[in-house]
Amino acid sequence: MSTLNAPVSPRWHRLALLVAAIQCVAWGMFILALPEKAATVYGLDKPLTDLFLWKGTGLIILLFGVGYGIASMDPVRNWSVIVPGFIAKILGPIGMVMSVYNGEVSSRALILLPINDVIWWIPFALILLAAFRQRG
């Protein structure tokens, strides 16, 4: 398909991905810069013994943000960058709820799910649906 005939994503697709990118980059940088503070925000009551693993989580979140930023330039063409993020935004909350249920994490951490993950389910699903339809 030539560039001239390539379908153009609605503006809100690009804007949603750009906002998701900013959120993830900011959140990832927060975890990397202040891992102990970020851990308490997540509801981890015990001091972290493996701080490098927690920083690795921050790095992954930051990299998702970079991916969303790239995908925001052309969501239809870059749909494969959105898929892993969409899956992570579904599986992450499931893991968090299980951790709370098992008593591994404070229930305070559940407040983060709507603002970090659940809020993106519908926009990401709609963007991916549009991309798959446009790609045939």
Side-chain angles (χ1 to χ4, degrees), residues 19-60:
V19 171
I22 292 167
Q23 180 193 31
C24 285
V25 167
W27 194 246
M29 288 175 45
F30 171 57
I31 293 171
L32 286 168
L34 302 167
E36 294 90 356
K37 180 67 175 164
T40 59
V41 170
Y42 263 99
L44 303 175
D45 295 327
K46 301 175 199 158
L48 293 172
T49 55
D50 296 322
L51 201 55
F52 74 97
L53 291 174
W54 184 239
K55 286 182 175 183
T57 300
L59 180 59
I60 290 169

Side-chain angles (χ1 to χ4, degrees), residues 61-105:
I61 293 169
L62 186 140
L63 291 174
F64 270 119
V66 171
Y68 299 147
I70 292 167
S72 73
M73 292 184 253
D74 188 349
V76 171
R77 180 170 295 168
N78 296 313
W79 65 269
S80 60
V81 175
I82 304 166
V83 170
F86 183 56
I87 293 169
K89 291 199 175 293
I90 292 171
L91 295 180
I94 291 171
M96 184 65 77
V97 168
M98 289 173 55
S99 294
V100 168
Y101 179 78
N102 291 331
E104 299 165 346
V105 176

